[in-house]
Amino acid sequence: MTAEERDPGLQPERTRLAWRRTTLSCTVAAVLAVRQTLHAGATSAGVVALSLSALAWLGFLLVANRRVQRMGGARPEPMGMGAAITAAACTVALAVFAAAMLF
């Protein structure tokens, strides 16, 4: 069987679902950041961390949305290095900003 005849099966669907689950997890982290800021009192550091968290969430949302849309074909193109680095950086940034909000 050649690469042109390859049947991807459910792999693109599983990948699409994984991106959606990760996007949901990032959304929950962003919502919890809003909740933490509102309940802890809006300090200047909290507002800055919340703003940076929102920016990281939007960046991840953009990358994930583009990737999910490109997974529509039977042979989706590989993810670019820039998109992969952006997704990883946004995920790490969300975790760092969330930890900063706790202190």
Side-chain angles (χ1 to χ4, degrees):
M1 184 180 286
T2 65
E4 302 300 322
E5 299 171 345
R6 180 181 168 270
D7 177 22
L10 294 176
Q11 181 179 358
E13 179 67 19
R14 287 191 309 268
T15 303
R16 205 171 17 257
L17 289 171
W19 274 102
R20 289 188 178 166
R21 281 191 308 268
T22 306
T23 302
L24 179 62
S25 297
C26 287
T27 301
V28 168
V31 168
L32 288 174
V34 171
R35 181 177 180 262
Q36 177 68 21
T37 301
L38 293 176
H39 284 285
T43 63
S44 59
V47 171
V48 169
L50 177 62
S51 299
L52 292 173
S53 294
L55 186 62
W57 174 72
L58 287 173
F60 185 85
L61 194 63
L62 178 68
V63 171
N65 187 38
R66 285 184 181 169
R67 187 61 188 153
V68 167
Q69 287 178 352
R70 291 184 180 162
M71 293 297 298
R75 298 219 13 108
E77 61 187 58
M79 185 175 193
M81 181 66 74
I85 290 171
T86 301
C90 288
T91 303
V92 170
L94 269 172
V96 168
F97 299 142
M101 294 179 102
L102 295 176
F103 297 110

Short mmCIF file of all heavy atoms in Angstrom, two decimals, residues 33-103:
data_model
loop_
_atom_site.label_atom_id
_atom_site.label_comp_id
_atom_site.label_asym_id
_atom_site.label_seq_id
_atom_site.Cartn_x
_atom_site.Cartn_y
_atom_site.Cartn_z
N ALA A 33 -9.10 31.75 36.08
CA ALA A 33 -8.30 32.94 36.34
C ALA A 33 -9.19 34.15 36.59
O ALA A 33 -8.94 34.94 37.50
CB ALA A 33 -7.36 33.21 35.16
N VAL A 34 -10.27 34.27 35.81
CA VAL A 34 -11.23 35.36 36.03
C VAL A 34 -11.86 35.22 37.41
O VAL A 34 -11.96 36.19 38.17
CB VAL A 34 -12.31 35.37 34.93
CG1 VAL A 34 -13.43 36.34 35.27
CG2 VAL A 34 -11.71 35.70 33.58
N ARG A 35 -12.26 34.01 37.74
CA ARG A 35 -12.89 33.77 39.04
C ARG A 35 -11.94 34.10 40.19
O ARG A 35 -12.33 34.75 41.16
CB ARG A 35 -13.32 32.31 39.13
CG ARG A 35 -14.02 31.96 40.43
CD ARG A 35 -14.48 30.51 40.40
NE ARG A 35 -15.15 30.17 41.63
CZ ARG A 35 -14.56 29.54 42.64
NH1 ARG A 35 -13.30 29.15 42.55
NH2 ARG A 35 -15.23 29.26 43.73
N GLN A 36 -10.69 33.68 40.07
CA GLN A 36 -9.70 33.95 41.11
C GLN A 36 -9.49 35.45 41.28
O GLN A 36 -9.40 35.95 42.40
CB GLN A 36 -8.37 33.27 40.77
CG GLN A 36 -7.25 33.54 41.74
CD GLN A 36 -7.48 32.92 43.10
OE1 GLN A 36 -8.25 31.99 43.26
NE2 GLN A 36 -6.80 33.46 44.10
N THR A 37 -9.43 36.16 40.17
CA THR A 37 -9.22 37.61 40.24
C THR A 37 -10.40 38.30 40.90
O THR A 37 -10.24 39.20 41.73
CB THR A 37 -8.99 38.19 38.84
OG1 THR A 37 -7.84 37.57 38.27
CG2 THR A 37 -8.76 39.69 38.88
N LEU A 38 -11.61 37.88 40.58
CA LEU A 38 -12.80 38.51 41.14
C LEU A 38 -12.96 38.21 42.63
O LEU A 38 -13.35 39.08 43.40
CB LEU A 38 -14.04 38.08 40.38
CG LEU A 38 -14.14 38.56 38.93
CD1 LEU A 38 -15.37 37.99 38.26
CD2 LEU A 38 -14.14 40.08 38.87
N HIS A 39 -12.65 36.99 43.04
CA HIS A 39 -12.82 36.60 44.43
C HIS A 39 -11.68 37.09 45.33
O HIS A 39 -11.88 37.34 46.51
CB HIS A 39 -12.97 35.09 44.58
CG HIS A 39 -14.32 34.62 44.16
ND1 HIS A 39 -15.44 34.80 44.94
CD2 HIS A 39 -14.75 33.98 43.04
CE1 HIS A 39 -16.49 34.29 44.32
NE2 HIS A 39 -16.10 33.81 43.16
N ALA A 40 -10.49 37.22 44.77
CA ALA A 40 -9.34 37.64 45.56
C ALA A 40 -9.22 39.16 45.62
O ALA A 40 -8.39 39.67 46.35
CB ALA A 40 -8.06 37.04 44.99
N GLY A 41 -10.04 39.83 44.87
CA GLY A 41 -9.91 41.29 44.81
C GLY A 41 -9.02 41.66 43.64
O GLY A 41 -8.01 41.02 43.40
N ALA A 42 -9.40 42.66 42.93
CA ALA A 42 -8.70 43.04 41.71
C ALA A 42 -7.47 43.89 42.03
O ALA A 42 -7.53 45.12 42.02
CB ALA A 42 -9.64 43.78 40.77
N THR A 43 -6.36 43.23 42.34
CA THR A 43 -5.11 43.94 42.53
C THR A 43 -4.49 44.21 41.16
O THR A 43 -4.87 43.59 40.17
CB THR A 43 -4.12 43.12 43.38
OG1 THR A 43 -3.81 41.92 42.66
CG2 THR A 43 -4.72 42.77 44.74
N SER A 44 -3.54 45.10 41.10
CA SER A 44 -2.92 45.40 39.81
C SER A 44 -2.18 44.18 39.26
O SER A 44 -2.22 43.91 38.06
CB SER A 44 -1.97 46.60 39.93
OG SER A 44 -0.96 46.33 40.87
N ALA A 45 -1.52 43.42 40.12
CA ALA A 45 -0.82 42.21 39.68
C ALA A 45 -1.82 41.17 39.18
O ALA A 45 -1.57 40.49 38.18
CB ALA A 45 0.01 41.64 40.82
N GLY A 46 -2.95 41.06 39.85
CA GLY A 46 -3.98 40.12 39.42
C GLY A 46 -4.57 40.48 38.07
O GLY A 46 -4.82 39.62 37.23
N VAL A 47 -4.79 41.76 37.84
CA VAL A 47 -5.33 42.22 36.56
C VAL A 47 -4.33 41.99 35.44
O VAL A 47 -4.70 41.57 34.34
CB VAL A 47 -5.76 43.70 36.65
CG1 VAL A 47 -6.13 44.24 35.29
CG2 VAL A 47 -6.91 43.86 37.62
N VAL A 48 -3.04 42.23 35.71
CA VAL A 48 -2.01 41.98 34.70
C VAL A 48 -1.94 40.49 34.38
O VAL A 48 -1.90 40.10 33.20
CB VAL A 48 -0.64 42.51 35.18
CG1 VAL A 48 0.48 42.03 34.28
CG2 VAL A 48 -0.66 44.02 35.23
N ALA A 49 -1.94 39.65 35.40
CA ALA A 49 -1.89 38.20 35.18
C ALA A 49 -3.14 37.74 34.43
O ALA A 49 -3.06 36.88 33.54
CB ALA A 49 -1.76 37.46 36.51
N LEU A 50 -4.29 38.30 34.77
CA LEU A 50 -5.53 37.95 34.08
C LEU A 50 -5.47 38.37 32.61
O LEU A 50 -5.86 37.61 31.73
CB LEU A 50 -6.73 38.60 34.76
CG LEU A 50 -8.08 38.37 34.09
CD1 LEU A 50 -8.42 36.89 34.08
CD2 LEU A 50 -9.16 39.15 34.82
N SER A 51 -4.96 39.56 32.35
CA SER A 51 -4.84 40.04 30.97
C SER A 51 -3.89 39.16 30.16
O SER A 51 -4.18 38.81 29.01
CB SER A 51 -4.34 41.49 30.96
OG SER A 51 -5.24 42.32 31.63
N LEU A 52 -2.77 38.80 30.75
CA LEU A 52 -1.82 37.94 30.06
C LEU A 52 -2.40 36.54 29.84
O LEU A 52 -2.17 35.91 28.81
CB LEU A 52 -0.50 37.87 30.82
CG LEU A 52 0.29 39.19 30.84
CD1 LEU A 52 1.49 39.06 31.78
CD2 LEU A 52 0.72 39.59 29.45
N SER A 53 -3.18 36.06 30.81
CA SER A 53 -3.85 34.76 30.66
C SER A 53 -4.84 34.81 29.50
O SER A 53 -4.92 33.87 28.70
CB SER A 53 -4.58 34.37 31.94
OG SER A 53 -3.68 34.14 32.98
N ALA A 54 -5.59 35.90 29.42
CA ALA A 54 -6.56 36.04 28.33
C ALA A 54 -5.86 36.09 26.98
O ALA A 54 -6.32 35.50 26.00
CB ALA A 54 -7.41 37.29 28.54
N LEU A 55 -4.72 36.77 26.92
CA LEU A 55 -3.96 36.85 25.69
C LEU A 55 -3.42 35.47 25.29
O LEU A 55 -3.49 35.08 24.12
CB LEU A 55 -2.81 37.85 25.85
CG LEU A 55 -2.00 38.16 24.61
CD1 LEU A 55 -2.87 38.79 23.54
CD2 LEU A 55 -0.85 39.09 24.97
N ALA A 56 -2.90 34.72 26.25
CA ALA A 56 -2.40 33.37 25.97
C ALA A 56 -3.54 32.46 25.54
O ALA A 56 -3.38 31.65 24.62
CB ALA A 56 -1.71 32.79 27.21
N TRP A 57 -4.69 32.60 26.17
CA TRP A 57 -5.86 31.79 25.79
C TRP A 57 -6.30 32.10 24.37
O TRP A 57 -6.57 31.19 23.59
CB TRP A 57 -7.00 32.04 26.77
CG TRP A 57 -8.27 31.38 26.38
CD1 TRP A 57 -8.54 30.03 26.44
CD2 TRP A 57 -9.45 31.99 25.85
NE1 TRP A 57 -9.83 29.79 25.98
CE2 TRP A 57 -10.39 30.98 25.62
CE3 TRP A 57 -9.78 33.31 25.57
CZ2 TRP A 57 -11.65 31.24 25.11
CZ3 TRP A 57 -11.04 33.57 25.06
CH2 TRP A 57 -11.95 32.55 24.83
N LEU A 58 -6.34 33.37 24.02
CA LEU A 58 -6.73 33.75 22.65
C LEU A 58 -5.72 33.23 21.63
O LEU A 58 -6.11 32.78 20.55
CB LEU A 58 -6.88 35.26 22.53
CG LEU A 58 -8.11 35.85 23.20
CD1 LEU A 58 -8.05 37.37 23.17
CD2 LEU A 58 -9.38 35.34 22.54
N GLY A 59 -4.44 33.29 21.96
CA GLY A 59 -3.42 32.74 21.06
C GLY A 59 -3.59 31.26 20.84
O GLY A 59 -3.52 30.76 19.71
N PHE A 60 -3.83 30.52 21.92
CA PHE A 60 -4.04 29.08 21.79
C PHE A 60 -5.31 28.80 21.00
O PHE A 60 -5.34 27.90 20.16
CB PHE A 60 -4.11 28.40 23.15
CG PHE A 60 -4.20 26.91 23.01
CD1 PHE A 60 -3.06 26.15 22.86
CD2 PHE A 60 -5.43 26.26 22.99
CE1 PHE A 60 -3.13 24.78 22.69
CE2 PHE A 60 -5.51 24.89 22.81
CZ PHE A 60 -4.36 24.15 22.67
N LEU A 61 -6.36 29.56 21.27
CA LEU A 61 -7.62 29.37 20.56
C LEU A 61 -7.45 29.56 19.06
O LEU A 61 -7.99 28.79 18.26
CB LEU A 61 -8.66 30.35 21.11
CG LEU A 61 -10.11 30.12 20.76
CD1 LEU A 61 -10.58 28.80 21.32
CD2 LEU A 61 -10.95 31.26 21.31
N LEU A 62 -6.67 30.55 18.67
CA LEU A 62 -6.42 30.80 17.26
C LEU A 62 -5.68 29.63 16.61
O LEU A 62 -6.08 29.14 15.54
CB LEU A 62 -5.61 32.09 17.10
CG LEU A 62 -5.23 32.48 15.69
CD1 LEU A 62 -6.47 32.85 14.88
CD2 LEU A 62 -4.24 33.61 15.70
N VAL A 63 -4.61 29.17 17.25
CA VAL A 63 -3.84 28.04 16.71
C VAL A 63 -4.70 26.78 16.63
O VAL A 63 -4.70 26.07 15.63
CB VAL A 63 -2.58 27.78 17.56
CG1 VAL A 63 -1.89 26.49 17.15
CG2 VAL A 63 -1.62 28.95 17.45
N ALA A 64 -5.44 26.50 17.70
CA ALA A 64 -6.27 25.29 17.73
C ALA A 64 -7.37 25.34 16.68
O ALA A 64 -7.64 24.33 16.01
CB ALA A 64 -6.87 25.10 19.12
N ASN A 65 -7.98 26.49 16.51
CA ASN A 65 -9.05 26.62 15.53
C ASN A 65 -8.52 26.38 14.11
O ASN A 65 -9.14 25.67 13.32
CB ASN A 65 -9.71 27.99 15.63
CG ASN A 65 -10.91 28.11 14.74
OD1 ASN A 65 -11.68 27.16 14.59
ND2 ASN A 65 -11.09 29.27 14.14
N ARG A 66 -7.36 26.96 13.81
CA ARG A 66 -6.77 26.73 12.49
C ARG A 66 -6.43 25.26 12.28
O ARG A 66 -6.64 24.71 11.20
CB ARG A 66 -5.50 27.57 12.34
CG ARG A 66 -5.79 29.02 12.11
CD ARG A 66 -4.52 29.78 11.87
NE ARG A 66 -4.80 31.18 11.68
CZ ARG A 66 -3.88 32.12 11.66
NH1 ARG A 66 -2.60 31.81 11.82
NH2 ARG A 66 -4.23 33.37 11.48
N ARG A 67 -5.91 24.62 13.32
CA ARG A 67 -5.53 23.21 13.19
C ARG A 67 -6.76 22.33 13.00
O ARG A 67 -6.76 21.43 12.17
CB ARG A 67 -4.74 22.76 14.41
CG ARG A 67 -4.18 21.38 14.28
CD ARG A 67 -3.22 21.31 13.11
NE ARG A 67 -2.84 19.93 12.87
CZ ARG A 67 -2.45 19.46 11.69
NH1 ARG A 67 -2.36 20.26 10.66
NH2 ARG A 67 -2.13 18.21 11.55
N VAL A 68 -7.82 22.58 13.75
CA VAL A 68 -9.05 21.79 13.63
C VAL A 68 -9.63 21.95 12.23
O VAL A 68 -10.08 20.99 11.62
CB VAL A 68 -10.07 22.17 14.72
CG1 VAL A 68 -11.44 21.61 14.42
CG2 VAL A 68 -9.59 21.68 16.08
N GLN A 69 -9.61 23.16 11.70
CA GLN A 69 -10.14 23.39 10.36
C GLN A 69 -9.33 22.66 9.30
O GLN A 69 -9.88 22.16 8.32
CB GLN A 69 -10.18 24.88 10.05
CG GLN A 69 -11.27 25.60 10.79
CD GLN A 69 -11.26 27.09 10.52
OE1 GLN A 69 -10.36 27.62 9.88
NE2 GLN A 69 -12.29 27.77 11.01
N ARG A 70 -8.02 22.59 9.49
CA ARG A 70 -7.16 21.92 8.51
C ARG A 70 -7.22 20.40 8.61
O ARG A 70 -6.69 19.70 7.76
CB ARG A 70 -5.73 22.40 8.66
CG ARG A 70 -5.59 23.83 8.22
CD ARG A 70 -4.17 24.29 8.27
NE ARG A 70 -4.10 25.68 7.83
CZ ARG A 70 -3.10 26.47 8.07
NH1 ARG A 70 -2.06 26.02 8.76
NH2 ARG A 70 -3.11 27.70 7.65
N MET A 71 -7.83 19.88 9.68
CA MET A 71 -7.93 18.43 9.85
C MET A 71 -9.12 17.85 9.09
O MET A 71 -9.42 16.67 9.21
CB MET A 71 -8.08 18.08 11.34
CG MET A 71 -6.87 18.37 12.19
SD MET A 71 -5.42 17.43 11.74
CE MET A 71 -5.95 15.78 12.03
N GLY A 72 -9.82 18.65 8.29
CA GLY A 72 -11.02 18.21 7.61
C GLY A 72 -10.79 17.20 6.51
O GLY A 72 -11.63 16.37 6.21
N GLY A 73 -9.64 17.21 5.86
CA GLY A 73 -9.38 16.31 4.75
C GLY A 73 -8.91 14.94 5.21
O GLY A 73 -8.58 14.72 6.37
N ALA A 74 -8.89 14.02 4.25
CA ALA A 74 -8.43 12.66 4.57
C ALA A 74 -6.93 12.63 4.81
O ALA A 74 -6.43 11.80 5.54
CB ALA A 74 -8.78 11.71 3.43
N ARG A 75 -6.20 13.55 4.19
CA ARG A 75 -4.75 13.63 4.37
C ARG A 75 -4.38 15.05 4.79
O ARG A 75 -3.89 15.84 4.00
CB ARG A 75 -4.02 13.25 3.09
CG ARG A 75 -4.32 11.85 2.67
CD ARG A 75 -3.22 11.02 2.11
NE ARG A 75 -1.86 11.43 2.24
CZ ARG A 75 -0.99 10.85 3.04
NH1 ARG A 75 -1.37 9.91 3.85
NH2 ARG A 75 0.26 11.24 3.05
N PRO A 76 -4.63 15.39 6.05
CA PRO A 76 -4.31 16.75 6.50
C PRO A 76 -2.81 17.00 6.47
O PRO A 76 -2.01 16.09 6.69
CB PRO A 76 -4.85 16.80 7.93
CG PRO A 76 -5.01 15.40 8.35
CD PRO A 76 -5.20 14.57 7.12
N GLU A 77 -2.47 18.25 6.20
CA GLU A 77 -1.05 18.60 6.17
C GLU A 77 -0.50 18.65 7.59
O GLU A 77 -1.23 18.91 8.54
CB GLU A 77 -0.86 19.94 5.48
CG GLU A 77 -1.56 21.10 6.17
CD GLU A 77 -1.49 22.37 5.37
OE1 GLU A 77 -1.94 22.37 4.23
OE2 GLU A 77 -0.97 23.36 5.93
N PRO A 78 0.78 18.38 7.74
CA PRO A 78 1.37 18.41 9.09
C PRO A 78 1.33 19.82 9.67
O PRO A 78 1.33 20.81 8.95
CB PRO A 78 2.82 17.99 8.85
CG PRO A 78 2.87 17.39 7.50
CD PRO A 78 1.74 17.96 6.73
N MET A 79 1.32 19.87 10.97
CA MET A 79 1.31 21.16 11.66
C MET A 79 2.68 21.80 11.52
O MET A 79 3.71 21.13 11.66
CB MET A 79 0.98 20.94 13.13
CG MET A 79 0.84 22.19 13.92
SD MET A 79 0.31 21.76 15.60
CE MET A 79 -0.15 23.34 16.21
N GLY A 80 2.69 23.09 11.26
CA GLY A 80 3.95 23.81 11.11
C GLY A 80 4.66 24.00 12.44
O GLY A 80 4.05 23.97 13.51
N MET A 81 5.96 24.20 12.35
CA MET A 81 6.77 24.37 13.56
C MET A 81 6.33 25.61 14.33
O MET A 81 6.25 25.58 15.56
CB MET A 81 8.25 24.47 13.19
CG MET A 81 9.16 24.62 14.39
SD MET A 81 9.19 23.17 15.45
CE MET A 81 10.15 22.07 14.46
N GLY A 82 6.03 26.69 13.64
CA GLY A 82 5.60 27.92 14.31
C GLY A 82 4.32 27.73 15.09
O GLY A 82 4.18 28.21 16.22
N ALA A 83 3.36 27.03 14.49
CA ALA A 83 2.08 26.79 15.18
C ALA A 83 2.28 25.89 16.39
O ALA A 83 1.67 26.11 17.44
CB ALA A 83 1.08 26.17 14.21
N ALA A 84 3.15 24.89 16.27
CA ALA A 84 3.40 23.99 17.39
C ALA A 84 4.07 24.74 18.55
O ALA A 84 3.70 24.56 19.71
CB ALA A 84 4.28 22.82 16.94
N ILE A 85 5.03 25.60 18.23
CA ILE A 85 5.71 26.37 19.26
C ILE A 85 4.74 27.35 19.92
O ILE A 85 4.74 27.53 21.14
CB ILE A 85 6.94 27.09 18.68
CG1 ILE A 85 8.01 26.05 18.34
CG2 ILE A 85 7.48 28.14 19.64
CD1 ILE A 85 9.19 26.59 17.58
N THR A 86 3.88 27.98 19.11
CA THR A 86 2.89 28.91 19.66
C THR A 86 1.93 28.21 20.60
O THR A 86 1.63 28.71 21.69
CB THR A 86 2.12 29.60 18.51
OG1 THR A 86 3.04 30.29 17.68
CG2 THR A 86 1.09 30.58 19.06
N ALA A 87 1.44 27.03 20.20
CA ALA A 87 0.52 26.28 21.05
C ALA A 87 1.18 25.89 22.36
O ALA A 87 0.59 26.03 23.44
CB ALA A 87 0.02 25.04 20.31
N ALA A 88 2.42 25.42 22.29
CA ALA A 88 3.13 25.02 23.51
C ALA A 88 3.41 26.23 24.40
O ALA A 88 3.23 26.17 25.62
CB ALA A 88 4.45 24.33 23.14
N ALA A 89 3.82 27.34 23.79
CA ALA A 89 4.11 28.55 24.57
C ALA A 89 2.86 29.09 25.25
O ALA A 89 2.91 29.51 26.42
CB ALA A 89 4.72 29.62 23.66
N CYS A 90 1.74 29.07 24.56
CA CYS A 90 0.48 29.55 25.15
C CYS A 90 0.05 28.66 26.30
O CYS A 90 -0.43 29.14 27.33
CB CYS A 90 -0.62 29.62 24.09
SG CYS A 90 -0.39 30.97 22.91
N THR A 91 0.23 27.36 26.16
CA THR A 91 -0.13 26.43 27.22
C THR A 91 0.74 26.64 28.46
O THR A 91 0.23 26.70 29.58
CB THR A 91 0.00 24.98 26.71
OG1 THR A 91 -0.82 24.82 25.56
CG2 THR A 91 -0.42 23.98 27.76
N VAL A 92 2.03 26.77 28.25
CA VAL A 92 2.94 27.01 29.38
C VAL A 92 2.65 28.36 30.01
O VAL A 92 2.64 28.50 31.24
CB VAL A 92 4.41 26.90 28.92
CG1 VAL A 92 5.37 27.38 29.99
CG2 VAL A 92 4.73 25.47 28.51
N ALA A 93 2.38 29.37 29.19
CA ALA A 93 2.07 30.71 29.71
C ALA A 93 0.83 30.69 30.58
O ALA A 93 0.80 31.31 31.65
CB ALA A 93 1.93 31.70 28.57
N LEU A 94 -0.20 29.97 30.14
CA LEU A 94 -1.41 29.85 30.95
C LEU A 94 -1.11 29.25 32.32
O LEU A 94 -1.61 29.72 33.34
CB LEU A 94 -2.48 29.01 30.23
CG LEU A 94 -3.45 29.75 29.36
CD1 LEU A 94 -4.30 28.77 28.57
CD2 LEU A 94 -4.32 30.67 30.16
N ALA A 95 -0.28 28.21 32.33
CA ALA A 95 0.06 27.58 33.60
C ALA A 95 0.86 28.53 34.49
O ALA A 95 0.62 28.63 35.70
CB ALA A 95 0.86 26.31 33.34
N VAL A 96 1.81 29.26 33.92
CA VAL A 96 2.64 30.18 34.70
C VAL A 96 1.78 31.32 35.25
O VAL A 96 1.90 31.68 36.43
CB VAL A 96 3.80 30.72 33.83
CG1 VAL A 96 4.50 31.89 34.51
CG2 VAL A 96 4.78 29.61 33.53
N PHE A 97 0.91 31.89 34.42
CA PHE A 97 0.08 32.99 34.89
C PHE A 97 -0.92 32.52 35.95
O PHE A 97 -1.22 33.25 36.89
CB PHE A 97 -0.64 33.66 33.73
CG PHE A 97 0.29 34.26 32.70
CD1 PHE A 97 0.00 34.20 31.37
CD2 PHE A 97 1.48 34.86 33.09
CE1 PHE A 97 0.84 34.74 30.41
CE2 PHE A 97 2.34 35.41 32.15
CZ PHE A 97 2.02 35.35 30.81
N ALA A 98 -1.41 31.30 35.80
CA ALA A 98 -2.32 30.75 36.81
C ALA A 98 -1.59 30.58 38.14
O ALA A 98 -2.14 30.91 39.21
CB ALA A 98 -2.90 29.43 36.34
N ALA A 99 -0.37 30.09 38.09
CA ALA A 99 0.40 29.93 39.32
C ALA A 99 0.71 31.29 39.94
O ALA A 99 0.68 31.44 41.16
CB ALA A 99 1.70 29.17 39.03
N ALA A 100 0.98 32.27 39.12
CA ALA A 100 1.28 33.62 39.62
C ALA A 100 0.08 34.23 40.31
O ALA A 100 0.22 35.01 41.27
CB ALA A 100 1.75 34.52 38.49
N MET A 101 -1.11 33.90 39.87
CA MET A 101 -2.33 34.44 40.46
C MET A 101 -2.59 33.87 41.85
O MET A 101 -3.30 34.48 42.64
CB MET A 101 -3.54 34.18 39.56
CG MET A 101 -3.45 34.91 38.25
SD MET A 101 -4.86 34.53 37.27
CE MET A 101 -5.78 36.02 37.55
N LEU A 102 -2.03 32.73 42.14
CA LEU A 102 -2.27 32.10 43.44
C LEU A 102 -1.44 32.73 44.55
O LEU A 102 -1.74 32.55 45.72
CB LEU A 102 -1.97 30.60 43.35
CG LEU A 102 -2.90 29.81 42.43
CD1 LEU A 102 -2.45 28.37 42.34
CD2 LEU A 102 -4.33 29.90 42.92
N PHE A 103 -0.41 33.46 44.20
CA PHE A 103 0.48 34.05 45.21
C PHE A 103 0.19 35.50 45.43
O PHE A 103 -0.26 36.27 44.80
CB PHE A 103 1.95 33.86 44.83
CG PHE A 103 2.33 32.43 44.76
CD1 PHE A 103 2.60 31.82 43.55
CD2 PHE A 103 2.39 31.67 45.91
CE1 PHE A 103 2.96 30.49 43.49
CE2 PHE A 103 2.75 30.33 45.85
CZ PHE A 103 3.02 29.74 44.64
#
